[in-house]
Amino acid sequence: MDAVLVVNADLGPLHRVSVKHAIRMLLRQVAEIHEAEPDRLIGIYPIPRVVRLVQYVVTKWRYTAGPAWSRSGVINRDDGRCAYCGGHATTVDHVMPRSRGGKNSWRNTVAACGGCNQRKGDRTPAEARMPLRFTPRVPTWAALVAR
């Protein structure tokens, strides 16, 4: 168990944290265990799967256009799969290369394996004859939290 889901006081999902962070939240009494691993303890606390905040946190940010772009977010959005071959993705590739004015944005980047990223190089997918398996999109907060 490497990630613990943090839910708001109204049970709306917020984000994921490490088990260590979740235990610190329990010690500070800002959260309580909502769901735990059966028969597994860390000290006096059962290992949490889900912790619920004691007080409601206003989450206006969840209703914005979406999360800010990040490399880890792109890989997470694409389920760690290469957009070209479907293999294990370790890098982020720009659909329109940065050298041609492509930006770091959700719609211009996809997760890619090292081989496909190297083979595509400084070309568009059409020029490299490497079609995308899906169209890049802007993820919602809920989609990123669910992963």
Side-chain angles (χ1 to χ4, degrees), residues 17-66:
V17 296
S18 67
V19 173
K20 186 176 179 179
H21 188 141
I23 295 296
R24 276 190 253 133
M25 292 172 71
L26 296 171
L27 288 170
R28 291 191 336 255
Q29 296 181 348
V30 296
E32 53 191 31
I33 296 176
H34 186 71
E35 185 178 320
E37 292 279 337
D39 302 325
R40 294 187 61 203
L41 299 174
I42 295 179
I44 61 169
Y45 295 103
I47 295 178
R49 286 185 186 165
V50 180
V51 294
R52 182 174 53 86
L53 295 179
V54 174
Q55 290 187 330
Y56 180 79
V57 174
V58 178
T59 55
K60 291 178 186 175
W61 53 268
R62 292 180 66 205
Y63 304 105
T64 61

Side-chain angles (χ1 to χ4, degrees), residues 84 93-95 116-125 128 130:
Y84 301 106
D93 181 59
H94 291 78
V95 177
C116 288
N117 200 349
Q118 186 73 24
R119 189 167 58 247
K120 180 180 166 285
D122 198 19
R123 301 176 288 180
T124 65
M130 296 174 67

Side-chain angles (χ1 to χ4, degrees), residues 74-131:
V74 171
I75 293 172
N76 189 6
R77 175 198 68 187
D78 297 348
D79 288 328
R81 296 280 161 222
C82 177
Y84 301 106
C85 70
H88 178 68
T90 56
T91 64
V92 171
D93 181 59
H94 291 78
V95 177
M96 174 59 71
R98 291 181 67 193
S99 63
R100 298 186 187 186
K103 304 289 184 200
N104 286 339
S105 68
W106 290 109
R107 289 195 174 98
N108 190 46
T109 52
V110 293
C113 65
C116 288
N117 200 349
Q118 186 73 24
R119 189 167 58 247
K120 180 180 166 285
D122 198 19
R123 301 176 288 180
T124 65
E127 292 169 347
R129 293 191 180 112
M130 296 174 67

